[in-house]
Amino acid sequence: MSRPRVVVAGLGDSGLLTAIHLARHADVVGISAKPGLVSGQELGIRLTRPDAWARDYRIGFDRFRRLDTVRTVHGTLTGLDLPNHAVSVRLADDSTVEEAYDVLVISTGVTNGFWRTADFKSIGDVDDDVRTAHERIAAASSVLVIGGGAAAVSSAANIASTWPTTRVDLYYPGAQALPRHHPRVWRTVSRRLRALGVGLHPQHRAVVPDGFDGDEITGEPVRWTTGQPPATADAVLWAIGRVRPNTDWLPTELLDETGFVRVDPDLRVPGHPGVFAIGDVAATDPLRTSARNRADHLLAHNIRAELAGRPLRIYRPPRTRWGSVLGAQPNGLQVFAPNGRAFRFPSWTIDTVLQPLIVRLGIYRGVRRPRSPLS
């Protein structure tokens, strides 16, 4: 009997790991608008230490050992034919191909700012984007960061620690930032921000210009719907969480009222056997936590179970977000548990244990060294 054919639509963090888990059990085809992993994680490090970020978060698909048997297609998804079990992909030369599937995994993620997009890009395009944003922030004597989530908080902290003479101010709409984390997390992180000299400005909600999605660093004054005087800086970083699901290629019957993919607790799309969704695009819960809680293991199990006629497992989302907020720092990596309590990986363990053993070997099942600086 031939092996089942699984198409993974989107090879970001969640889709890539799902493909890795299934590679030994099915004929897997991965479709990606980029020719490698371009993670949306760690915006603060991407802006301030782009080489360090690229080492761990921009990795060519040919470097992942478990993808050796996976066929990757570099293109943009344009449609889904549910009756005929096929997706349409537009390639770099504007031609279109059809990829048939027995099982479809929808993992196309979301667009959020300039650092997470669905645009078709080469690795050179990605590196140009990273370098341009870094140079804009590095040249600024003052930076205004807007947003209360982890991306905004991390960016403010990393900019302040990388360029101590730069004035950095963080504006957020609530009484405290990181509202989706345990309250202990903000208490800990805010002390670090103050120690770095970051100005904290609660209860500020920005006026977002018409047609603007926070997808570029700006320099104009920022006005507030909450009535405070306008604020100015050389560079304004918008990390306001204006998230748009990358689902334009999907039939509306698969989507909820906000455009995310509807899923049952087992990550199946209701009413469509053989179609699953995972990551930020999947409406698992209000926080869409399957992207950050290693649901890729559960999804791979459920796909194999469905193909074999076995019972499927249920995804149970955590109530609060957990993990790192600021990313790796000179004194190590601070990670927060769901209860808000922190533990730290010492700095010496990051390059000797955490990345090579836990991440590259344990999570990704083996990552080759780059053959060139651009791979």
Side-chain angles (χ1 to χ4, degrees):
M1 295 178 63
S2 61
R3 301 205 305 172
R5 195 164 194 255
V6 178
V7 168
V8 181
L11 289 177
D13 295 296
S14 298
L16 172 68
L17 288 168
T18 302
I20 285 173
H21 300 322
L22 292 172
R24 293 185 174 181
H25 308 283
D27 291 332
V28 180
V29 178
I31 301 169
S32 173
K34 282 83 175 176
L37 173 66
V38 181
S39 177
Q41 299 182 57
E42 304 296 358
L43 175 61
I45 295 175
R46 172 173 167 157
L47 289 169
T48 58
R49 290 175 280 150
D51 291 340
W53 177 85
R55 180 194 63 194
D56 298 327
Y57 298 101
R58 193 206 39 75
I59 305 172
F61 292 138
D62 62 325
R63 292 178 54 198
F64 293 95
R65 296 184 184 276
R66 285 289 183 90
L67 292 187
D68 286 351
T69 61
V70 173
R71 180 166 63 87
T72 57
V73 178
H74 185 197
T76 305
L77 288 149
T78 59
L80 168 61
D81 184 344
L82 285 167
N84 293 311
H85 288 202
V87 298
S88 302
V89 186
R90 185 173 63 247
L91 305 179
D93 61 3
D94 271 343
S95 64
T96 299
V97 298
E98 302 289 320
E99 295 290 346
Y101 65 83
D102 296 306
V103 174
L104 173 65
V105 176
I106 301 170
S107 53
T108 42
V110 297
T111 292
N112 184 13
F114 57 83
W115 61 96
R116 300 179 71 186
T117 73
D119 300 338
F120 180 93
K121 291 186 178 181
S122 68
I123 286 297
D125 295 332
V126 173
D127 289 342
D128 288 344
D129 290 346
V130 173
R131 182 171 56 253
T132 298
H134 167 73
E135 291 174 350
R136 176 70 189 277
I137 296 295
S141 61
S142 58
V143 178
L144 194 158
V145 183
I146 304 174
V153 171
S154 171
S155 296
N158 280 280
I159 293 168
S161 62
T162 302
W163 297 290
T165 60
T166 299
R167 178 174 61 83
V168 181
D169 290 279
L170 175 66
Y171 292 80
Y172 44 96
Q176 63 180 37
L178 303 177
R180 294 179 173 178
H181 290 71
H182 192 282
R184 287 194 188 101
V185 178
W186 175 241
R187 290 198 293 267
T188 300
V189 172
S190 63
R191 288 195 295 269
R192 176 61 178 160
L193 291 170
R194 291 189 182 95
L196 289 168
V198 176
L200 302 182
H201 305 271
Q203 308 289 359
H204 282 68
R205 187 176 294 277
V207 175
V208 182
D210 291 340
F212 179 64
D213 290 317
D215 52 359
E216 63 178 297
I217 298 171
T218 61
E220 292 75 30
V222 179
R223 292 173 172 78
W224 313 100
T225 65
T226 39
Q228 297 90 346
T232 60
D234 293 338
V236 179
L237 175 64
W238 299 77
I240 54 178
R242 183 160 286 194
V243 169
R244 303 191 314 277
N246 298 324
T247 54
D248 290 347
W249 61 285
L250 291 172
T252 56
E253 64 189 271
L254 272 59
L255 310 179
D256 67 11
E257 64 278 3
T258 58
F260 294 89
V261 180
R262 294 182 293 111
V263 290
D264 288 328
D266 54 17
L267 302 182
R268 284 187 290 192
V269 175
H272 297 280
V275 181
F276 296 77
I278 190 173
D280 282 315
V281 78
T284 52
D285 58 282
L287 302 183
R288 299 185 305 281
T289 55
S290 70
R292 288 162 292 276
N293 289 277
R294 298 306 313 278
D296 46 275
H297 276 294
L298 182 142
L299 176 56
H301 170 273
N302 282 357
I303 289 172
R304 294 178 63 194
E306 177 164 283
L307 290 169
R310 300 193 306 266
L312 277 61
R313 296 175 182 169
I314 300 300
Y315 173 69
R316 293 180 172 83
R319 295 180 180 179
T320 58
R321 288 191 172 175
W322 64 279
S324 169
V325 173
L326 304 184
Q329 301 295 304
N331 63 346
L333 177 68
Q334 188 177 47
V335 178
F336 294 93
N339 64 5
R341 301 195 182 279
F343 58 94
R344 185 181 300 278
F345 290 92
S347 57
W348 66 267
T349 67
I350 294 173
D351 292 332
T352 59
V353 177
L354 182 62
Q355 282 296 334
L357 299 180
I358 297 177
V359 176
R360 294 175 195 152
L361 183 59
I363 295 178
Y364 290 128
R365 305 300 186 188
V367 179
R368 299 181 181 92
R369 293 181 181 275
R371 290 177 291 187
S372 72
L374 295 179
S375 65

